[in-house]
Each structure stands twice: as C-alpha cells, then as structure tokens.
Amino acid sequence: MNEMKYVSTRGGQDGLGFQDAVMTGLARDGGLLVPERIPDVREKLADWKDLSYPELAFEIMRLFATDVPEEDLRGLVTRAYSTFMHSEVAPVRKAGKVWVLELFHGPTLAFKDIALQFLGQLYSYILSKRGGRLNIVAATSGDTGSAAICGVRGQERVNIFVMHPHGRVSPLQERQMTSVTDANVFNLAVEGAFDDCQSIMKALFNDLAFKDEFSLGSVNSVNWARILAQIVYYFYSAFRVLEGTSGAEAVQFSVPTGNFGDILAGWYAKQMGLPVRRLLLATNENDILARFFHTGRYVRGQVVPTVNPSMDIQVASNFERWLYYRLAQNPAAVREKMAEFAATGAMGIDLRGASGASDEIMAGTSDTKRTLATIRKYWEKENVLLDPHTAAGVFVAEQYDDREDPTICLATAHPAKFPAAIEQATGKPNLARHSILDALEGAPTRCEIVPNDVNAVREFVRRNAGA
Ligand SMILES: *Cc1c(COP(=O)(O)O)cnc(C)c1O
C-alpha cells in the first residue's frame, strides 16, 4: 500500500505522516493539512456496499492512515463507534421526498460525535505509543465542546481546555459541558463572544513556543482526522439510499454548513468516486458561503445570532481546503487569496472555470422563518422532528428539487438539543426530549470564569497543564 503524506495548503509543511498530521492540527504556517493525493475507490464500491458502519470506516480510513497498523486501526474504529446508541451508527430514513441521515446517535447527540469519538481514541493511541502529554485547547459555540470533552474525558495523557462565551451558549449546551467533572476537563467561560474565544485559541496556537512547550492539540475541524471520519457516512448513506431507490445511479446531499467541514467531507467522497451528483450547501442568515457560491466573491459580514447557532459563522476555516483544490493545488495562490481576505475582508475567484466544477456545490439559504416552518411541516406531515440545523438543510433541498436523484439531508443534531426552537415551531412544549439531557438536571458542574484576555487563558493552561 502506498504511504499517504500530508501537505499544508500554504506550502510551508509537507511529507507529514497521518499521525503527525493529527498531532499538528493547524499547520505551522497557518494553513490546513491535506492529503497529497485523493484515492480513487470506484473499483471498490461494489465490495463496500454491504459493510457495517465500523467495517466501512476501517476500509476508508486505512487509505489515509497508512502509518497506523491495520489491526490497531480496526480496534480504534470499533471502540469509537461502540458508544453509539443505534446499531447502524448512522441510519437513514425516508421523510416525504427526501432521505434523512441521522448523525445524532452518539453520546452528546450531535454529528460531531462521529469524528470526536474517533479522534479521542486516536489521541489516546498515539500518546500511548509515543509517550508525552497533549493539551487540547478548543473554542466552542456549543456542540464541539461537549463532543470533544466526551471524546477525551478521563484520559491519562490528555487535558482539555474548552472556552465558551460566558452566558451566550444555551443553558442545555452549557450543562452538557460543565457537568463533566473529570480531573482532565477544564471549562472556561470567557467574558466575551464566540469570536473572542476563537481568536484567543488562534493566538495560543500561533505562539509556537507555547504550542511546543505544552503540546497543544486541536479538536476543531482544522484537524484532518475530523474530515476523514466524516467521509465515511457519505458512503454509508449513499449505499443504503441507492439500494432503496430503483433506477437511481447517483445521489445528492444537503448539508447545513458552518465551518465547511461537514460538506468538505462530502466533497472528498465525491472526488474519491462516490456517485454524488451535487452537494447542496445550506446556510442561515449568516450566508457568506451561499453568497460566495452564487457570485464568486467571499466577503466577510457581521455574525447575527439565529435559531441554528452552530451555523453562525462568517469565516469558515475549512473553506481554505476547498480553495486549495480550486486553485489547482497551488500554495502561492492560496497564500495570496488568504492574505487578501485577511487584509480587506474580501476576495474573489472565477467560479466558471472549464472543469464544470461550478455546479458540484450549489448553495441556498434558509432564514429563521423558513426553518421554523420546515420543522412544523415535517412534524405535521411526516411525523419527523427535525432540529433547526437539519431543517435549514431540508428547506434548501426542497429548493433544488429539479433532478431525479434521491436527496440525502444530513441531520446534524438531535432535536432535543434545541427545545426552544422546537416549541417555537410547533407550539408544543416538551415535544423534543432525550433521557441523556434530562439526566443532566441538577448535576454538579465545574467551570472557571476568565476575562477576555489571551494572557489570562495562557496562564490558566500553564497552571493546569501538568508535566
Ligand atoms: C457543527 C454543526 C454544524 C456545522 O458543521 P460544519 O462542519 O461546521 O459546517 C451544523 N449543525 C450542527 C448541529 C453542528 O453542531
């Protein structure tokens, strides 16, 4: 088997093995790490289509994680998905004209578990081989924090420091994080907004001396392992839906998008040879990506809070990976575009191109009113309760109903995580419940309030990082 190496989109790092790419997180030149080639798996599709979720995950991941011995990789995958509450891990079901891919059966009820249960296992494995410790520093607006904490809680060689904006995440999301009181878990409520948390995180990673001294690690979707784990469910669901739809030869996916990580995994699946006609990118009012795919202009706007907060992002970090391929894998061109965007808040590229790539991603927007109406409609007509992120994707899928191909809508969170929006949409309180969330009521919590200041957070990490 050919060894897979990783390179930075900005050209400053190359030749990294998979394990080094995972431990590095954000590339040291500020770019993102990508595999140096994308394997073509068209010849394997027939053999893969009846595999169980963990078996399929193993087959896909071994192409990218060539420096992990196969038996070890099999163990990591099996352990990661044994925590899921559904035997299929990621089941699909028909709802009206679309298929809903349920990605929320993991321990924290959001699709982030699919990647972070795996990444937690992977960190533990790599550290047990190499020795040493890892200090994960993360910023969250809600779902990433709890999924990441759940992936590494109790691990001996890992500490995790998760910053959330004080008083600005939902009470339920806050409790999901702060009720984990293992000694290696530190919740920091930063007196600022989510953007402040994210810029503190970036400042700590860009302090290379600090990053090296404390072995900082990343669980955000800048980490390649997260994208890799997410490629799997595109294959898994396409196999199920193609089998269940007579005459269908390809599928399309609709993806509620924030940081562009989830839909990017679908893009890789398509490049690998999965028959995907189109990827539909759904945004809420924070529509920088939808505007880009309509006009070719990438222009930063003001973030507005919405009913689907995990999509409230203006600058999508994984967009740089897509841009890298779009610019013919030319790091100098990526550096130029990213510098222009950093300096002016805007940049543009020609989307027409000769390759026909302009319609492989089509974008649409669902505002709060449409999202709530979609939740209500699917509840009343199909007896399916969609969370507000999923509903935005379903709304956009309905706008692109012009092809015969079956459409798979990614359901990224369990509706019980967003009870206020569900009540607003349906008029019914307590419709969306889950025993895992009910059990958090009154649980002891641990959280440190810190000022909105890089030095305060740096000192906190220094004091608590351990040897
Ligand atoms: C994180 C998240 C998203 C956005 O995913 P990206 O990979 O950031 O595009 C959508 N829905 C939910 C529920 C999420 O937690």
Side-chain angles (χ1 to χ4, degrees):
M1 165 115 40
N2 282 338
E3 227 193 307
M4 182 66 86
K5 297 290 187 190
Y6 291 82
V7 301
S8 168
T9 50
R10 299 193 190 178
Q13 279 192 284
D14 60 20
L16 272 72
F18 173 75
Q19 296 187 37
D20 282 333
V22 171
M23 296 305 278
T24 302
L26 189 67
R28 294 175 77 85
D29 60 1
L32 281 85
L33 295 169
V34 292
E36 64 179 4
R37 63 192 155 77
I38 300 177
D40 184 332
V41 301
R42 273 172 293 188
E43 309 235 296
K44 300 183 174 155
L45 296 178
D47 289 340
W48 284 2
K49 73 180 179 32
D50 296 318
L51 296 180
S52 71
Y53 194 94
E55 285 166 347
L56 181 63
F58 168 73
E59 292 296 336
I60 291 173
M61 290 178 177
R62 69 201 275 251
L63 304 173
F64 293 93
T66 53
D67 61 0
V68 179
E70 298 207 334
E71 279 324 296
D72 294 354
L73 183 62
R74 218 183 264 284
L76 294 175
V77 167
T78 305
R79 282 196 296 282
Y81 297 113
S82 67
T83 60
F84 279 63
M85 292 167 270
H86 194 288
S87 59
E88 273 199 77
V89 179
V92 274
R93 66 155 141 169
K94 193 88 190 280
K97 290 177 78 176
V98 300
W99 297 79
V100 175
L101 168 55
E102 296 182 353
L103 299 173
F104 51 69
H105 294 287
T108 72
L109 310 181
F111 88 99
K112 305 277 192 317
D113 287 322
I114 294 199
L116 287 166
Q117 286 292 306
F118 174 67
L119 184 54
Q121 292 293 335
L122 194 55
Y123 274 145
S124 164
Y125 169 80
I126 296 174
L127 291 167
S128 74
K129 295 267 167 199
R130 296 185 172 186
R133 303 185 62 83
L134 183 73
N135 290 293
I136 294 167
V137 177
T140 187
S141 58
D143 294 329
T144 298
S146 51
I149 288 169
C150 187
V152 301
R153 63 183 296 181
Q155 284 191 20
E156 255 172 46
R157 296 176 175 276
V158 178
N159 295 311
I160 182 164
F161 300 87
V162 175
M163 291 178 272
H164 69 264
H166 184 36
R168 301 195 202 188
V169 299
S170 84
L172 206 52
Q173 289 178 319
E174 183 178 328
R175 222 173 309 139
Q176 271 191 296
M177 294 188 280
T178 60
S179 62
V180 181
T181 55
D182 297 66
N184 70 331
V185 174
F186 301 92
N187 279 288
L188 304 180
V190 175
E191 293 177 313
F194 170 67
D195 283 334
D196 298 315
C197 299
Q198 189 137 24
S199 61
I200 292 174
M201 178 187 84
K202 290 211 174 121
L204 294 181
F205 275 90
N206 286 329
D207 179 348
L208 292 178
F210 184 75
K211 181 181 181 185
D212 290 343
E213 184 180 352
F214 288 95
S215 308
L216 297 194
S218 175
V219 288
N220 288 95
S221 56
V222 296
N223 197 311
W224 168 254
R226 275 195 56 181
I227 308 297
L228 174 57
Q230 292 171 189
I231 291 173
V232 177
Y233 51 70
Y234 285 90
F235 280 86
Y236 186 79
S237 62
F239 292 147
R240 303 280 98 65
V241 168
L242 287 171
E243 187 137 292
T245 314
S246 69
E249 282 170 5
V251 296
Q252 57 180 7
F253 286 96
S254 181
V255 189
T257 299
N259 244 330
F260 203 76
D262 202 0
I263 194 165
L264 182 78
W267 183 87
Y268 275 104
K270 180 168 162 53
Q271 308 313 306
M272 290 166 72
L274 186 69
V276 178
R277 194 82 64 190
R278 297 185 300 199
L279 295 159
L280 308 177
L281 180 155
T283 71
N284 61 22
E285 288 88 336
N286 299 293
D287 62 350
I288 179 172
L289 287 166
R291 283 184 281 119
F292 171 78
F293 282 101
H294 291 142
T295 66
R297 297 279 305 157
Y298 192 62
V299 185
R300 192 199 310 256
Q302 274 292 326
V303 177
V304 298
T306 69
V307 289
N308 25 36
S310 298
M311 300 160 74
D312 293 350
I313 288 181
Q314 281 290 346
V315 180
S317 48
N318 275 290
F319 181 68
E320 181 167 338
R321 285 190 167 116
W322 180 85
L323 191 64
Y324 171 76
Y325 293 102
R326 186 69 207 187
L327 298 173
Q329 306 185 45
N330 175 352
V334 174
R335 283 199 303 273
E336 190 185 309
K337 292 292 178 193
M338 295 311 291
E340 184 185 344
F341 182 71
T344 67
M347 57 102 163
I349 67 166
D350 185 356
L351 275 185
R352 284 159 306 174
S355 64
S358 55
D359 69 350
E360 74 182 7
I361 298 180
M362 309 274 274
T365 293
S366 180
D367 59 14
T368 297
K369 202 170 133 237
R370 295 185 167 109
T371 294
L372 294 177
T374 303
I375 294 174
R376 185 185 186 99
K377 177 171 133 188
Y378 277 77
W379 172 242
E380 289 178 349
K381 290 215 167 113
E382 311 297 342
N383 200 24
V384 170
L385 201 50
L386 305 173
D387 102 281
H389 304 77
T390 307
V394 170
F395 175 80
V396 170
E398 289 183 341
Q399 310 310 299
Y400 284 103
D401 192 19
D402 55 332
R403 301 274 178 97
E404 289 299 305
D405 312 306
T407 301
I408 302 173
C409 295
L410 273 57
T412 49
H414 192 285
K417 290 193 91 164
F418 302 95
I422 299 295
E423 180 171 350
Q424 215 183 327
T426 62
K428 293 191 169 56
N430 293 322
L431 201 54
R433 299 286 288 269
H434 195 288
S435 56
I436 286 192
L437 300 175
D438 291 345
L440 297 177
E441 195 85 46
T445 61
R446 189 158 70 96
C447 183
E448 187 91 10
I449 299 169
V450 295
N452 177 9
D453 171 31
V454 183
N455 292 322
V457 176
R458 191 184 348 241
E459 280 319 302
F460 186 91
V461 173
R462 204 183 278 285
R463 270 202 315 279
N464 292 283

